Amino acid sequence: MKKLILINLLAFNIFAQSPNNEAFNKFLVDAFEEGVQYSPFSATSIGDNRFNDKLYVEFTDTYQNMLDEKTKRNLQGLAKFDRATLNENDQLSYDIYKYQLERSLENSKYPTNRIPFNQMFSFPLSFAQYGSGKVTQPFKTVKDYENWLSRANNFPVWADSAIIYMRKGIAEKIVLPKSLVKKMVGQMKGFVTNNVSKSVFWGPIETMPASFSEQDKNRFTQAYTQLIMGKIVPAYEKLGNFLENEYMPRAGDHHGIGSLPGGAAWYNNNLVQITTTNKTADQIFKTGLSEVKRIRKEMEKVKKSVGFKGTLEAFFEYMRTDPKFFPYNSAKEIVAAYTAIEAQINPTLARLFLYKPKTAFEVRQTEAFRAASAAAQYNAGLADGSRPGIFYVPIIDPKTTPVRESLFIHEAVPGHHYQVMLQRENESLPQFRRYGGYTAYAEGWGLYSESLGKELGLYSDPYQYMKALGDEIHRAIRLVVDPGLHAKGWTREQAIKYMVNNEPISEPAATAEIERYMAIPGQATAYKVGSMKLLELKAKYKKQLGSKFNIAEFHNQVLKDGSMPLAILEAKMDAWAKTVK
C-alpha cells in the first residue's frame, strides 16, 4: 500500500513531496517520520494503517510537553529555508506549515486537557465509532482484528487518565457546566450492557469475514467477548459513575468559558484559532447582530410570498409545528429523500465546477449512541475508493425530522464532499495539505455552498428557501450567542431564547445547539466568518475581472490547493486574479 502522510492536528503538519526543493522535502519527511507515530487515530482516519493497534493518551501534560518540544525544533528547522527561493507551491506550504506550528505553541498555553472530553468532542464516542466496524477502523483481515484487540486494550488507561485530569480541573476550578455533564453521564452509561451482543463493539464479530478459519472465528469471538465485558464496558461504567457522583456535584453553574480562571484570554485565543483571523469577540458579536437583521428582512419577503398573515415569529412556529413539514414516517424515507437531492442537482454541477470527486459518498443515519447530541456531519472517504464519504443525519424521531435541501448541499454535494475529497484526491498537493484542515475554510465553504442553492436548481419551494434562510440565520445567530455566552456573560437560557426568537427551530433543538457552543467555545463562529470571506472574494473578483470572471474557475481556485487560513487564501486568490487580468 502506498504510504500515506498523516496530519497531526497538534504539531506535525508536513508533506511528502516537494518536486523543486529536495532539501525542503527531506526536512518535512523527516519531521513526519519523527512525529507521525504520536497520533495513531489520525493516521487511521486517513487510511494510514501502520498504527491501527495503538491508542495513546494524547492529552497528558507529558505528551503535550513532548509535542511542544518537537514543534519548536520543527520551527527552527523551517527557519533554515529561505522562503524567497522556494517555488510558488512550496511558499504556500511554507506559510501554512509555519502558521500551524506557531498556532500549536500558542494553543498549548491553555489548560484544555483539564476538560479532556465533553458531550460533543468526545473520544469515548469516536472510539465507539472506530470499534463498531462500520466506519473508519478496518475489520477485513485477521491482522485487522488483532490490531483492534491491542488498541482497545488501552481504553481503560485512557478513561483512568481522563478522570485524573478532570480531578485536576476540579482543583483548579476548570470544569464543565452541569447541563453538559448530565448529557455525558447518559452517553457513557449508554455503553453499559450485560449482553455482549447488544454492545456497539460487537459489530466486528457480527460481520466477521466468512473467509476466516473456524479457529480464528472462535478465537476472536472469545477474545472480543472478554475485551468488551472485561475492559470496555467497565471503563465506560467507571466514566459514567465518576461524572455522575464525583464530577457533577463540582461542575459549574457557569455558561461560558469566560467565567473560568483565565477564561477571557482562552476564549480570545480560541477565536483566533477557529476563525484564522484577529477578529475580537465584540466585532464578531456586532457582525452577528447585523447579519441577523439583514436575513430577517429576507425572511419577511418569503413569509409575504406564501401569504402568511402573522408575525415572523408566528411563521417560525408554523414551520416548527405544522405536520406538512414533517411527512416522513421512517429513517429510511429521510435517508432516501436526502439521497434523491443529488440526482436533482447533478445537471447543474458541471456549470459551477470544473471537477467532481471520484470518491463515492452515501447518506447514513447517525448511530443511536450519539444521535441525541450529534449534529449532521460529513465523514471523509478515502481517495483509493475503499471508503466512501458519509453524510450522517441524526434522526431521533422521523415524524419530527424535516429534510433540508440546504443541509444536503452543505454536508454532501457540493459542500464538504467536494471540499474534502477534491483536496484528498489531488496527488499533486503535498500530503499535509491533502489531509489538513481549518474550520473557517471548511465550514465557510459548506455555508457558502448553501448560497448556491438556486443556481443548483433547489429552493424552488419557498418553504425550502425559508429553511435555507433559517440555516443561514442560524450561523449568524452563532456569531451573537457564542461570544454572548463566553465573553458577554449571557446565560444558557438567554442564548436559547435568542435563537428560538430568531429562527424556525424548536426549543429542544436550540438547547442542543447552545449546549454545543458551551462545550466548544468559538467553534461555531467559523461558519459565518468563513462564508462571508468567500462571498467577499467572489464579489471582489467579479468586479475586478468583469467578463473574464468564471464561477467554475473561481470555485476551482478556492478548492484546488486545500484548506488554509483565510488570510493565506486571500493572498493566493489575489495572485490568481492578477494572472486572469
Side-chain angles (χ1 to χ4, degrees), residues 338 341-342 361 391 404-413:
Y338 275 117
I341 295 173
E342 184 187 17
F361 95 97
F391 167 33
R404 309 197 314 270
E405 293 172 344
S406 52
L407 180 63
F408 179 87
I409 58 180
H410 178 119
E411 298 293 346
V413 178

Side-chain angles (χ1 to χ4, degrees), residues 55-71:
L55 188 164
Y56 300 136
V57 185
E58 300 182 19
F59 57 77
T60 67
D61 291 336
T62 301
Y63 184 92
Q64 292 297 314
N65 290 338
M66 178 191 65
L67 287 184
D68 283 351
E69 289 305 311
K70 290 183 180 295
T71 301

Side-chain angles (χ1 to χ4, degrees), residues 61 111-116 162 165-170 172 174-175 247 266:
D61 291 336
T112 55
N113 64 359
R114 270 45 178 174
I115 304 176
Y165 274 79
M166 294 180 89
R167 284 174 176 154
K168 289 177 184 283
I170 291 171
E172 298 167 13
I174 299 172
V175 292
Y247 195 82
W266 192 353

Side-chain angles (χ1 to χ4, degrees), residues 373-514:
S373 295
Q377 69 180 96
Y378 174 77
N379 274 24
L382 293 179
D384 64 6
S386 62
R387 187 177 79 217
I390 302 168
F391 167 33
Y392 279 104
V393 185
I395 305 170
I396 306 277
D397 179 3
K399 294 182 179 180
T400 60
T401 302
V403 167
R404 309 197 314 270
E405 293 172 344
S406 52
L407 180 63
F408 179 87
I409 58 180
H410 178 119
E411 298 293 346
V413 178
H416 290 320
H417 187 61
Y418 270 48
Q419 171 247 317
V420 175
M421 294 318 305
L422 287 175
Q423 175 177 320
R424 292 193 172 193
E425 291 172 7
N426 186 356
E427 294 185 1
S428 68
L429 281 184
Q431 295 282 54
F432 91 97
R433 284 163 53 194
R434 285 179 71 186
Y435 296 103
Y438 286 89
T439 308
Y441 172 97
E443 296 299 351
W445 172 262
L447 182 51
Y448 168 84
S449 296
E450 295 180 32
S451 73
L452 302 174
K454 291 187 176 181
E455 294 174 80
L456 289 166
L458 301 176
Y459 304 165
S460 57
D461 176 357
Y463 294 108
Q464 279 292 345
Y465 181 50
M466 185 67 180
K467 291 177 184 178
L469 290 173
D471 284 345
E472 185 182 9
I473 204 170
H474 183 65
R475 277 45 169 262
I477 288 167
R478 288 172 169 177
L479 299 186
V480 178
V481 297
D482 198 281
L485 287 164
H486 299 293
K488 294 185 174 293
W490 280 30
T491 66
R492 168 180 173 273
E493 290 69 30
Q494 186 178 356
I496 292 169
K497 183 178 180 181
Y498 183 85
M499 178 169 280
V500 171
N501 286 347
N502 284 286
E503 64 169 305
I505 189 173
S506 68
E507 186 168 326
T511 299
E513 284 290 318
I514 295 304

Side-chain angles (χ1 to χ4, degrees), residues 81-365:
F81 295 93
D82 182 358
R83 181 186 179 280
T85 65
L86 301 175
N87 66 26
E88 183 178 340
N89 188 53
D90 286 349
Q91 286 182 348
L92 193 56
S93 298
Y94 184 103
D95 292 342
I96 297 170
Y97 186 42
K98 183 172 184 286
Y99 182 94
Q100 289 172 340
L101 291 173
E102 290 174 343
R103 288 304 314 160
S104 176
L105 288 178
E106 190 63 29
N107 293 339
S108 70
K109 296 177 182 179
Y110 299 92
T112 55
N113 64 359
R114 270 45 178 174
I115 304 176
F117 72 112
N118 54 54
Q119 90 284 9
M120 290 297 302
F121 281 6
S122 173
F123 179 77
L125 296 187
S126 60
F127 177 72
Q129 281 189 291
Y130 278 74
S132 70
K134 298 178 180 179
V135 188
T136 307
Q137 180 99 8
F139 288 92
K140 298 177 182 178
T141 68
V142 168
K143 177 62 174 173
D144 289 340
Y145 276 73
E146 290 172 342
N147 281 339
W148 180 252
L149 284 173
S150 296
R151 171 170 272 184
N153 191 60
N154 288 327
F155 181 65
V157 177
W158 189 96
D160 287 343
S161 300
I163 290 172
I164 289 170
Y165 274 79
M166 294 180 89
R167 284 174 176 154
K168 289 177 184 283
I170 291 171
E172 298 167 13
K173 300 190 185 306
I174 299 172
V175 292
L176 287 164
K178 281 185 169 64
S179 60
L180 308 190
V181 182
K182 183 178 180 181
K183 298 282 176 64
M184 296 163 67
V185 171
Q187 289 172 341
M188 297 304 101
K189 292 194 171 186
F191 292 104
V192 178
T193 179
N194 292 320
N195 184 345
V196 69
S197 67
K198 300 296 184 182
S199 171
V200 66
F201 295 95
W202 192 246
I205 299 301
E206 293 180 330
T207 59
M208 202 183 308
S211 60
F212 281 15
S213 69
E214 287 302 313
Q215 182 181 0
D216 281 333
K217 289 179 181 178
N218 292 332
R219 176 167 66 95
F220 287 131
T221 299
Q222 182 178 355
Y224 274 60
T225 298
Q226 293 173 348
L227 171 71
I228 294 166
M229 301 309 294
K231 290 198 169 184
I232 293 179
V233 168
Y236 279 107
E237 187 171 27
K238 188 174 183 178
L239 283 170
N241 289 338
F242 164 76
L243 289 168
E244 184 174 41
N245 301 322
E246 184 176 339
Y247 195 82
M248 178 81 80
R250 297 166 178 83
D253 294 318
H254 64 283
H255 305 272
I257 195 175
S259 301
L260 302 182
W266 192 353
Y267 182 61
N268 288 337
N269 179 74
N270 282 8
L271 291 179
V272 173
Q273 175 67 20
I274 292 295
T275 69
T276 66
T277 72
N278 291 317
K279 293 181 183 296
T280 67
D282 194 55
Q283 288 173 325
I284 290 171
F285 183 82
K286 289 178 179 176
T287 298
L289 292 175
S290 175
E291 281 293 285
V292 168
K293 183 178 180 180
R294 177 186 66 80
I295 299 166
R296 281 181 67 97
K297 289 182 179 178
E298 186 69 13
M299 288 176 152
E300 289 282 1
K301 295 178 184 177
V302 177
K303 177 180 71 108
K304 184 177 180 181
S305 74
V306 299
F308 190 87
K309 301 300 183 183
T311 65
L312 192 56
E313 286 70 25
F315 192 44
F316 293 160
E317 183 64 18
Y318 167 61
M319 291 189 65
R320 279 193 287 260
T321 58
D322 194 285
K324 79 174 184 180
F325 299 114
F326 307 96
Y328 305 100
N329 294 308
S330 70
K332 186 176 180 180
E333 290 178 9
I334 292 172
V335 169
Y338 275 117
T339 302
I341 295 173
E342 184 187 17
Q344 184 177 349
I345 66 176
N346 262 334
T348 62
L349 288 169
R351 183 174 58 81
L352 296 175
F353 294 90
L354 298 182
Y355 305 101
K356 65 182 296 184
K358 298 175 183 176
T359 305
F361 95 97
E362 57 190 61
V363 185
R364 293 185 190 175
Q365 180 182 4

